[in-house]
């Protein structure tokens, strides 16, 4: 269906207006930290996940939910509702196209009880969403609690004044999936002529389905009146000494007569105190850890992903309260120069993937079995890293990276960035600010990626990305900044701001499809050109070929399993040649698994560049990549190679003299 550019229909104008939420200021948006809700002796955590009630906004009156205050009573009282799982995208759960392809607002609600004991303890009650895509407005018992824009990032609010203790409460959420030129990522609303009149449709240039809904866990949790609001940790290594620098911020005081005191201990994996607090009660400090067990990536050490626990106790004499929070941390040091990227003084060679949060039925909804299956596959294949293309992944996914020693290039949700404007710049910066606030303490996060395939040849790209990188550096100088770039090195205006340059290129696919004898030279030439222009470490952030599982052609032919393998092999040759030159620090195939996209004639049920199918079964290429990644690990890290081949023949039975 061709898109027709026509004046916006009135209904759509309303939708666009709504994105700006003409609502009163939220009750108590937390401007501070977003620490993951963790139980402790001073904090209770309850999950609000489960089956919620759900309704699409009316097509004829999309704002009815606001005008008729659907948040003032149970949704079921103002119209029909259907059951909807949380967390999940709503798109693929029903049999209705109208739900899958819905544009604009949807409504969710559910009820929950708040124990009276929480009032007795004078607890503060918080409501936290792991992520809602794209924008959300939340009410508790009809009172506005929090408003948030930008998907894939957590937000929370204190809801103590709104809750009824010892009674039933209601949370109502309205979600808007509309993407405009000023959202992150960007999209456009077009109108098309249909048999039933004009209809508004969402379009976007990025190559994944714009799943929407309450994608990640919803938590209700408590803190004491004076509480630990945020913790920032940096680590260093001085000889055998691990050094942990911490900075604690607190909330809850209106006018403090005296600062609360803070006691910080470091616990090892078994829960033993290895460094006890110095007793001074400072909010900032340094812990020296003799013979520290360092955090190492998978396969770089026999004990990867070693995590200590930073145990923080905040005491307020004035209020007689205590708050306790335990944060997992890893001790490691990152360094980079013109040619290398090092962890704990050893050079890193990234062997990994671009990925997506994507699976059937759930869309981008968090799914615990899938999280563990994916890490099992990553480790089976011998990879050590991936990029959270093209948005921040769930905290529960990131926790596994910390624990299993998988290196993460942490990307904000900016994809195909163009049409640079001050509003976009502000939101793009906000997305990075919120990402860094969330992930700054994670040892697995080793680079910030500020965008994927931004249109960096356009006027304004230099000022825009200069500002973005400066902003990231103002928040964190301990990790390098990168971007998955796709413009040619001679037209690009942003790579100069990066510490490490990643490039995406589809040699043998979008250019010279079917001609694998063009790949090696082109990959080498491009990597060298970036390096000789900027003298910075280079890695390939995307390459690959769409492949229909089960399609075979010999000689290889595009879309077949044979072609995917042949294309990979040519890249491997280029990577090996580049590795010898000393500035090439990694290879990341696109993609870990097949994933859903918008409907277009270039996609058969989605993007098929996965090494695994969407249901995580290996294509032939997975076995091929596995042989390479383990061979690389054997060569670089001295790992004893896993058995990557099945039995073929015993070498003893060969009569070598006859060969
Ligand atoms: C790219 C994009 C990625 C796409 C991929 C493709 O360059 O970064 O989002 O899915 O190409 O397969 O076209």
């Amino acid at each position: 269906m061709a898109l027709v550019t026509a004046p916006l229909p009135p209904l759509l104008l309303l939708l666009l207006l709504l994105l700006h939420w003409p609502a009163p200021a939220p009750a108590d948006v937390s401007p501070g930290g977003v620490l993951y809700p963790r139980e402790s002796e001073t904090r209770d955590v309850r999950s609000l996940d489960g089956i919620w009630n759900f309704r699409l906004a009316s097509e004829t009156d999309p704002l009815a939910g606001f005008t008729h205050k659907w948040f003032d009573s149970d949704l079921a009282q103002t119209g029909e509702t259907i059951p909807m799982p949380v967390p999940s995208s709503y798109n693929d759960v029903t049999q209705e196209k109208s739900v899958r392809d819905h544009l604009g607002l949807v409504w969710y609600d559910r009820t929950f009880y708040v124990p009276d004991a929480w009032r007795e303890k004078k607890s503060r009650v918080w409501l936290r969403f792991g992520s809602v895509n794209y924008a959300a407005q939340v009410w508790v018992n009809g009172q506005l609690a929090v408003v948030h824009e930008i998907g894939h990032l957590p937000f929370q609010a204190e809801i103590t004044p709104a809750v009824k203790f010892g009674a039933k409460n209601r949370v109502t959420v309205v979600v808007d999936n509309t993407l405009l030129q000023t959202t992150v990522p960007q999209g456009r609303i077009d109108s098309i002529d249909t048999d039933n009149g004009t209809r508004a449709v969402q379009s976007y240039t990025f190559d994944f389905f714009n799943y929407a809904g309450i994608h990640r866990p919803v938590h209700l949790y408590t803190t004491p009146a004076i509480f630990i609001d945020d913790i920032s940790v940096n680590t260093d290594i001085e000889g055998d000494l691990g050094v942990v620098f911490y900075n604690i911020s607190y909330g809850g005081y209106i006018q403090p007569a005296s600062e609360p005191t803070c006691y910080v201990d470091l616990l090892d994996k078994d829960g033993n105190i290895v460094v006890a607090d110095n007793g001074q009660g400072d909010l900032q400090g340094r812990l020296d850890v003799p013979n520290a067990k360092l955090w190492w990536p998978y396969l770089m050490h026999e004990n990867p992903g070693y995590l200590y626990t930073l145990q923080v106790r905040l005491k307020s004499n004035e209020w007689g309260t205590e708050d306790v929070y335990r944060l997992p941390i890893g001790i490691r040091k990152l360094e980079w120069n013109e040619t290398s990227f090092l962890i704990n003084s050893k050079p890193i060679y990234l062997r990994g993937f671009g990925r997506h949060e994507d699976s059937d039925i759930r869309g981008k909804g968090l799914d615990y079995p899938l999280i563990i299956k994916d890490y099992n596959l990553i480790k089976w294949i011998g990879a050590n890293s991936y990029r959270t293309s093209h948005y921040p992944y769930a905290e529960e996914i990131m926790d596994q990276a910390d624990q299993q020693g998988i290196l993460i290039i942490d990307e904000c949700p900016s994809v195909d960035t163009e049409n640079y404007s001050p509003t976009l710049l502000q939101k793009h910066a906000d997305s990075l600010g919120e990402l860094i606030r969330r992930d700054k303490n994670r040892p697995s996060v080793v680079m910030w990626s500020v965008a994927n395939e931004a249109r960096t040849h356009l006027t304004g790209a230099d000022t825009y990305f200069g500002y973005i990188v400066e902003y990231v550096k103002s928040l964190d100088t301990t990790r390098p900044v990168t971007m998955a770039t796709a413009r040619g090195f001679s037209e690009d205006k942003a790579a100069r701001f990066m510490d490490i340059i990643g490039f995406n290129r589809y040699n043998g696919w979008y250019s010279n499809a079917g001609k694998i004898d063009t790949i090696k030279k082109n990959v080498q030439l491009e990597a060298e050109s970036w390096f000789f222009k900027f003298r910075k470490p280079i890695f390939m952030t995307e390459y690959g070929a769409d492949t229909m599982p089960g399609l075979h052609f010999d000689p290889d032919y595009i879309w077949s399993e044979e072609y995917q393998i042949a294309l990979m092999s040519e890249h491997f040759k280029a990577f090996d040649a580049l590795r010898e030159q000393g500035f090439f620090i990694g290879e990341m195939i696109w993609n870990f698994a097949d994933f859903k996209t918008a409907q277009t004639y270039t996609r058969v049920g989605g993007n098929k560049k996965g090494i695994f199918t969407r249901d995580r079964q290996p294509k032939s290429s997975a076995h091929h990549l596995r042989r390479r990644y383990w061979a690389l690990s054997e060569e670089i890290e001295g790992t004893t190679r896993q058995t990557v081949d099945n039995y073929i023949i015993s070498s003893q039975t060969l009569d070598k003299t006859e060969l």
Side-chain angles (χ1 to χ4, degrees):
M1 203 170 343
L3 289 179
V4 179
T5 313
L8 294 176
L11 175 137
L12 187 65
L13 281 174
L14 287 178
L15 280 175
L16 297 186
L17 268 179
L18 198 64
L19 205 84
H20 299 287
W21 303 119
D28 189 356
V29 182
S30 162
V34 282
L35 291 173
Y36 193 80
R38 290 178 197 279
E39 267 182 348
S40 76
E41 49 275 55
T42 62
R43 293 176 171 226
D44 284 328
V45 179
R46 289 193 168 190
S47 167
L48 292 188
D49 295 350
I51 311 292
W52 291 42
N53 309 303
F54 177 88
R55 176 152 82 235
L56 300 183
S58 139
E59 257 183 61
T60 50
D61 184 8
L63 293 184
F66 286 93
T67 43
H68 301 297
K69 301 195 170 173
W70 287 355
F71 42 85
D72 265 355
S73 59
D74 291 351
L75 265 188
Q77 285 178 16
T78 49
E80 255 187 66
T81 62
I82 57 169
M84 188 56 70
V86 170
S88 180
S89 301
Y90 58 72
N91 310 77
D92 290 346
V93 169
T94 76
Q95 295 303 99
E96 308 302 326
K97 255 195 213 177
S98 57
V99 176
R100 186 191 67 197
D101 299 335
H102 179 75
L103 170 60
L105 305 179
V106 302
W107 292 78
Y108 287 79
D109 86 352
R110 69 158 285 163
T111 55
F112 59 94
Y113 282 86
V114 175
D116 218 16
W118 288 3
R119 172 173 41 201
E120 284 153 21
K121 280 201 284 181
K122 297 196 172 50
S123 298
R124 291 179 188 272
V125 184
W126 300 80
L127 179 63
R128 186 186 195 270
F129 290 79
S131 93
V132 177
N133 198 31
Y134 170 77
Q137 189 159 336
V138 180
W139 295 261
V140 172
N141 299 325
Q143 286 189 40
L144 186 65
V146 60
V147 173
H148 186 260
E149 179 185 336
I150 305 181
H152 322 290
L153 288 161
F155 57 94
Q156 64 178 9
E158 190 195 343
I159 56 166
T160 321
V163 294
K164 296 180 219 156
F165 292 92
K168 192 152 115 177
N169 292 264
R170 185 184 53 253
V171 53
T172 314
V173 183
V174 63
V175 182
D176 190 349
N177 66 356
T178 313
L179 299 179
L180 305 173
Q181 285 298 286
T182 49
T183 58
V184 182
Q186 292 164 290
R188 275 180 201 286
I189 303 295
D190 297 296
S191 58
I192 53 167
D193 281 331
T194 73
D195 297 343
N196 306 314
T198 308
R199 181 158 69 87
V201 288
Q202 174 79 68
S203 69
Y204 41 85
T205 59
F206 58 82
D207 184 37
F208 51 95
F209 193 85
N210 186 35
Y211 279 115
I214 305 179
H215 279 163
R216 296 182 188 158
V218 184
H219 287 110
L220 192 67
Y221 72 95
T222 64
T223 63
I226 311 302
F227 59 93
I228 298 161
D229 180 45
D230 203 5
I231 304 174
S232 300
V233 167
N234 276 318
T235 62
D236 203 354
I237 301 167
E238 295 172 3
D240 281 347
L241 203 65
V243 184
V244 178
F245 299 98
Y246 61 83
N247 192 345
I248 317 293
S249 60
Y250 62 89
Y253 269 111
I254 299 168
Q255 279 180 320
S258 62
E259 280 229 310
T261 41
C262 190
Y263 301 96
V264 179
D265 301 310
L266 193 71
L267 278 52
D268 67 13
K269 217 164 190 161
D270 303 319
N272 306 312
I273 294 187
V274 287
V275 185
D277 183 83
N278 63 13
Q280 302 197 338
D282 296 334
L283 291 159
Q284 290 98 29
R286 160 185 172 136
L287 302 176
D288 288 344
V289 193
N291 301 314
K293 292 198 171 91
L294 303 184
W295 189 93
W296 284 101
Y298 174 57
L299 297 180
M300 270 181 96
H301 192 267
E302 65 212 358
N303 190 8
Y306 189 91
L307 295 178
Y308 290 92
T309 299
L310 194 79
Q311 178 171 277
V312 180
R313 289 174 185 274
L314 185 88
K315 291 194 183 181
S316 154
N317 294 332
E318 201 175 327
W319 286 64
T321 60
E322 184 184 28
D323 190 14
V324 182
Y325 191 90
R326 296 184 178 86
L327 179 76
I329 62 159
I331 300 178
R332 54 114 179 93
K333 180 177 186 166
L334 299 176
E335 290 162 290
W336 60 97
N337 55 34
E338 283 188 2
T339 54
S340 333
F341 181 38
L342 303 106
I343 186 161
N344 308 336
S345 304
K346 282 201 182 162
I348 300 175
Y349 187 74
L350 298 163
R351 311 181 288 271
F353 301 95
R355 296 185 59 202
H356 268 295
E357 284 185 316
D358 175 271
S359 69
D360 62 353
I361 306 170
R362 304 146 194 80
K364 293 200 180 306
L366 183 94
D367 182 74
Y368 288 108
L370 190 74
I371 294 176
I372 299 304
K373 178 73 177 176
D374 283 357
Y375 277 98
N376 287 339
L377 291 174
I378 288 167
K379 289 166 74 176
W380 172 83
I381 217 162
N384 61 6
S385 55
Y386 65 84
R387 176 168 60 112
T388 68
S389 44
H390 296 312
Y391 38 80
Y393 290 2
E395 289 155 282
E396 294 77 2
I397 297 178
M398 303 295 285
D399 286 346
Q400 288 303 309
D402 286 338
Q403 287 171 31
Q404 308 212 27
I406 301 300
L407 300 165
I408 302 291
I409 295 159
D410 213 0
E411 190 157 281
C412 77
S414 169
V415 198
D416 298 353
T417 327
E418 60 186 352
N419 205 353
Y420 301 113
S421 68
T423 313
L424 183 71
L425 179 65
Q426 185 57 56
K427 272 188 213 164
H428 191 159
D430 285 352
S431 78
L432 279 154
E434 289 185 31
L435 174 63
I436 294 169
R437 171 173 72 162
R438 190 194 78 165
D439 287 349
K440 62 185 175 218
N441 297 324
R442 294 190 179 277
S444 60
V445 173
V446 293
M447 275 188 231
W448 302 116
S449 168
V450 297
N452 179 74
E453 299 199 352
R455 315 292 193 215
T456 54
H457 60 303
L458 298 177
T459 310
D462 38 4
T463 320
Y464 185 97
F465 281 103
Y467 174 84
I468 286 289
V469 174
E470 197 182 308
Y471 178 62
V472 171
K473 299 260 174 207
S474 73
L475 300 174
D476 182 14
T477 51
T478 68
R479 293 173 177 92
V481 177
T482 193
M483 166 197 277
T485 192
R487 306 309 306 190
F489 68 94
S490 52
E491 56 174 358
D492 165 88
K493 300 182 205 287
R496 69 189 171 103
F497 301 112
M498 309 300 148
D499 298 306
I500 293 179
I501 297 175
F503 70 101
N504 297 351
R505 193 68 61 212
Y506 286 86
N507 289 295
W509 191 254
Y510 294 127
S511 61
N512 295 319
K515 303 183 187 68
I516 61 158
D517 57 349
T518 59
I519 294 174
K520 180 170 177 275
K521 196 170 67 184
N522 283 328
V523 172
Q524 262 180 269
L525 194 66
E526 180 161 16
E528 285 164 3
S529 306
W530 284 113
F531 176 70
F532 289 117
K533 183 160 182 189
F534 292 107
R535 301 272 165 189
K536 293 178 175 179
I538 308 294
F539 69 128
M540 193 158 196
T541 27
E542 285 183 26
Y543 70 97
D546 280 275
T547 305
M548 285 303 289
L551 183 70
H552 293 284
F553 281 112
D554 188 20
D556 55 70
Y557 192 89
I558 61 166
W559 286 90
S560 69
E561 298 209 23
E562 285 75 11
Y563 188 76
Q564 191 179 27
I565 288 180
L567 176 140
M568 287 160 69
S569 285
E570 293 310 304
H571 282 84
F572 298 164
K573 289 180 200 163
F575 299 153
D576 286 347
L578 288 166
R579 286 195 302 129
E580 291 203 348
Q581 297 187 52
F583 60 80
F584 192 70
I585 62 149
E587 51 190 89
M588 296 196 151
I589 197 163
W590 189 258
N591 186 283
F592 176 72
D594 293 345
F595 57 91
K596 183 155 164 166
T597 61
Q599 300 189 61
T600 148
Y601 50 78
T602 56
R603 298 282 178 253
V604 186
N607 188 307
K608 292 274 187 280
K609 295 194 183 71
I611 295 303
F612 298 100
T613 58
R614 199 181 191 204
D615 57 1
R616 275 43 178 189
Q617 297 306 321
K619 298 181 188 171
S620 312
S621 54
H623 298 285
H624 194 56
L625 191 66
R626 183 165 180 244
R627 283 186 209 107
R628 173 163 179 89
Y629 280 1
W630 280 103
L632 281 171
S633 175
E634 187 176 49
E635 181 198 298
I636 299 167
E637 291 140 359
T639 327
T640 315
R641 207 182 331 168
Q642 295 267 15
T643 309
V644 290
D645 299 306
N646 287 333
Y647 179 84
I648 304 214
I649 194 168
S650 155
S651 55
Q652 272 99 47
T653 62
L654 289 173
D655 182 347
K656 299 209 171 72
T657 55
E658 282 174 21
L659 288 178

